Amino acid sequence: MTIKASLKFARSLIFPKTEKKSSARRSLFGALLCIGLSIVPLVVVLSISNGMINGMTERIIGLSSSHIQAYVASTIKEVSTAEDFRAYADELKKVDGVLSTYPEVSVTALAAGKSMRTGIQIRAMEKNIFTENPAFVKLFTVTEGSVEDYVNSPDNDKAVKPAIVGQKMAETLNLHAGDSFRIITTKTSNGKVSPKLSSFKVCAIVTSGYQELDALWVFIPIENAYSYLSLDTANYTVMIETADAFATELVRIQRFMQKQFGRYANFYRWDQVHAAEFENFSSTKVMLVFIMMLIVLVASINVSSAIVMLVMERRKEIAILKSLGASPSGITLSFLITGMACGSGGVLLGLPVGLLASVNANQIVQFIEKIVNMFAKVGYLLKGVPANEITAIKLMDPAYYLQEIPVDLPFAQILLIAAATILLSLIVSVIPAVKAGKEKPLDILRKA
């Protein structure tokens, strides 16, 4: 039996000319539909998880640690004043491969707003970082006020000490642009701990779209940190930016800087500083993809069941073909082609729907949110809850996720999934296809 003949027989199995109802054929197309439906969530999960991880990674690198972060000893004279610290950062900028450096003084403190207090992380940096650093310009969105007011504010103005506050922090303290709030740090003198208060004005409220990063951040000019805050517990770091955070050149730059400046500073790459976060991202993605692949596996088993039914239904045709000289391998090949065609059809059905759902993920989530909130509102009203006390339900909590779903279509991985699905459909078809090739025509025709 030639390959061409096997292909023709496979075609007749999938698209028979007879109008007779076939339960096996319905099972075959049902299996195709199941595979298609199982691929849709797999593609959506893969695209959204890639986009989420890339979005979070971009914000962690750009806004938190940069490509390399230097942790400078607090006891050296190079960090005793803002000018000295700025000069020290400029020395690091001279290293080959380094594009820019940003000195930062980080202090954990207490902020007091109109009605409550909360812990904050003060990031004292150069004021122009919000207009010159590409990551800050791209990833921070101003929700209230103006960054220009902050950047153009006079240095060491005792009357108006500017600050930029994260959106979640502003909501917690009930702050708006133009409001004043107090920062409370502690200082130790003669063994006694005493508070030090400084008042700052909110010039702008910003968000990076990822509350876990900027929920505690308050930015102030680096000069004001030295002038008005207690720096007993301050951390001195330098954000170091290179051409590419993912280049192998980053390791060389880190090692060189550690060798040249390592006496009073330690240098870490972004993937070392945030190792725990990225391991968590990777393990979560692997687990999600694994669960989705199990769904595809279960759907593929339907192909095996459909092939078994098809063999039982076409036993007479198999007997006739074998009586006319068809080989067992040719019959087996026909059913293998049928199983693989079923998997391919599921892929062709599921991939476009999955890609379409991925691209429109934000709109789909917003639509589902509206439906959920509509039913929830009706339920609350029936229970007698006042309308003004009903809070909207958010499917994507911005405290743990990005406020908008970024979609990154990994075409190479999607093609790999498509190939794996087709291969899986072929594998589960092997046993019933081999049994079909071993059918004995005489036994079948006697029973007919």
Side-chain angles (χ1 to χ4, degrees), residues 309-331:
M309 294 184 65
L310 197 61
V311 171
M312 294 176 64
E313 194 175 82
R314 298 300 184 94
R315 293 185 72 191
K316 290 183 181 180
E317 292 182 34
I318 294 171
I320 294 171
L321 287 173
K322 295 193 79 172
S323 300
L324 295 175
S327 62
S329 58
I331 299 295

Side-chain angles (χ1 to χ4, degrees), residues 299-314:
S300 299
I301 293 174
N302 291 328
V303 176
S304 179
S305 302
I307 297 297
V308 169
M309 294 184 65
L310 197 61
V311 171
M312 294 176 64
E313 194 175 82
R314 298 300 184 94

Side-chain angles (χ1 to χ4, degrees), residues 162-236:
I164 290 180
V165 182
Q167 184 177 24
K168 181 62 177 178
M169 175 63 62
E171 292 173 0
T172 302
L173 295 176
N174 191 23
L175 295 176
H176 297 278
D179 291 346
S180 294
F181 68 103
R182 291 173 295 167
I183 291 178
I184 307 168
T185 54
T186 58
K187 61 179 180 178
T188 305
S189 178
N190 297 324
K192 295 182 179 179
V193 179
S194 59
K196 185 174 183 179
L197 281 72
S198 298
S199 180
F200 285 80
K201 178 184 177 181
V202 180
C203 291
I205 296 174
V206 298
T207 177
S208 67
Y210 186 26
Q211 285 185 12
E212 189 171 336
L213 266 185
D214 58 7
L216 299 177
W217 286 349
V218 173
F219 294 91
I220 66 172
I222 192 168
E223 292 85 358
N224 287 0
Y226 281 93
S227 300
Y228 304 112
L229 301 183
S230 172
L231 302 182
D232 291 352
T233 59
N235 294 315
Y236 300 86

Side-chain angles (χ1 to χ4, degrees), residues 133-447:
N133 184 288
F136 275 62
V137 173
K138 176 185 175 183
L139 300 175
F140 272 129
T141 302
V142 180
T143 58
E144 279 190 48
S146 171
V147 169
E148 286 71 21
D149 293 343
Y150 173 80
V151 174
N152 297 325
S153 62
D155 294 337
N156 285 324
D157 186 350
K158 294 183 179 180
V160 179
K161 295 186 284 292
I164 290 180
V165 182
Q167 184 177 24
K168 181 62 177 178
M169 175 63 62
E171 292 173 0
T172 302
L173 295 176
N174 191 23
L175 295 176
H176 297 278
D179 291 346
S180 294
F181 68 103
R182 291 173 295 167
I183 291 178
I184 307 168
T185 54
T186 58
K187 61 179 180 178
T188 305
S189 178
N190 297 324
K192 295 182 179 179
V193 179
S194 59
K196 185 174 183 179
L197 281 72
S198 298
S199 180
F200 285 80
K201 178 184 177 181
V202 180
C203 291
I205 296 174
V206 298
T207 177
S208 67
Y210 186 26
Q211 285 185 12
E212 189 171 336
L213 266 185
D214 58 7
L216 299 177
W217 286 349
V218 173
F219 294 91
I220 66 172
I222 192 168
E223 292 85 358
N224 287 0
Y226 281 93
S227 300
Y228 304 112
L229 301 183
S230 172
L231 302 182
D232 291 352
T233 59
N235 294 315
Y236 300 86
T237 59
V238 180
M239 294 171 59
I240 301 166
E241 195 172 86
T242 64
D244 186 2
F246 299 93
T248 54
E249 181 76 0
L250 198 65
V251 177
R252 181 198 65 79
I253 297 172
Q254 177 208 12
R255 290 176 178 174
F256 179 81
M257 298 184 88
Q258 187 66 47
K259 182 178 179 181
Q260 292 293 111
F261 304 94
R263 185 176 180 182
Y264 298 111
N266 289 316
F267 297 83
Y268 299 97
R269 300 187 309 275
W270 62 268
D271 56 332
Q272 294 173 319
V273 176
H274 304 285
E277 289 93 332
F278 295 116
E279 287 178 6
N280 183 40
F281 293 160
S282 300
S283 60
T284 301
K285 178 182 175 182
V286 169
M287 184 58 66
L288 287 172
V289 173
F290 176 71
I291 293 171
M292 293 300 108
M293 282 302 297
L294 286 180
I295 296 174
V296 175
L297 175 61
V298 171
S300 299
I301 293 174
N302 291 328
V303 176
S304 179
S305 302
I307 297 297
V308 169
M309 294 184 65
L310 197 61
V311 171
M312 294 176 64
E313 194 175 82
R314 298 300 184 94
R315 293 185 72 191
K316 290 183 181 180
E317 292 182 34
I318 294 171
I320 294 171
L321 287 173
K322 295 193 79 172
S323 300
L324 295 175
S327 62
S329 58
I331 299 295
T332 299
L333 180 61
S334 296
F335 284 96
L336 287 176
I337 293 171
T338 303
M340 190 169 66
C342 182
S344 302
V347 169
L348 292 175
L349 174 66
L351 279 186
V353 177
L355 292 172
L356 188 64
S358 299
V359 171
N360 296 281
N362 286 291
Q363 290 82 353
I364 293 173
V365 170
Q366 290 171 8
F367 176 75
I368 296 175
E369 277 187 355
K370 289 180 180 178
I371 299 297
V372 170
N373 280 291
M374 182 180 69
F375 282 104
K377 187 175 182 180
V378 171
Y380 282 128
L381 292 175
L382 291 175
K383 290 181 180 180
V385 179
N388 58 353
E389 294 182 8
I390 299 174
T391 58
I393 299 172
K394 293 288 185 182
L395 297 181
M396 297 292 291
D397 190 341
Y400 305 102
Y401 305 100
L402 298 178
Q403 291 178 353
E404 288 190 2
I405 302 173
V407 178
D408 181 14
L409 301 177
F411 289 104
Q413 296 178 32
I414 290 174
L415 290 176
L416 182 62
I417 288 171
T421 303
I422 294 172
L423 180 62
L424 193 60
S425 301
L426 180 64
I427 291 172
V428 298
S429 304
V430 169
I431 293 176
V434 170
K435 286 184 177 179
K438 291 181 178 180
E439 291 280 1
K440 296 179 180 180
L442 292 177
D443 293 342
I444 295 172
L445 293 174
R446 284 197 191 102
K447 295 176 182 179

Side-chain angles (χ1 to χ4, degrees), residues 72-81 84-85 88 263-265:
V72 187
S74 60
T75 55
I76 61 174
K77 66 179 183 61
E78 282 81 356
V79 299
S80 58
T81 66
D84 291 338
F85 196 16
Y88 179 82
R263 185 176 180 182
Y264 298 111

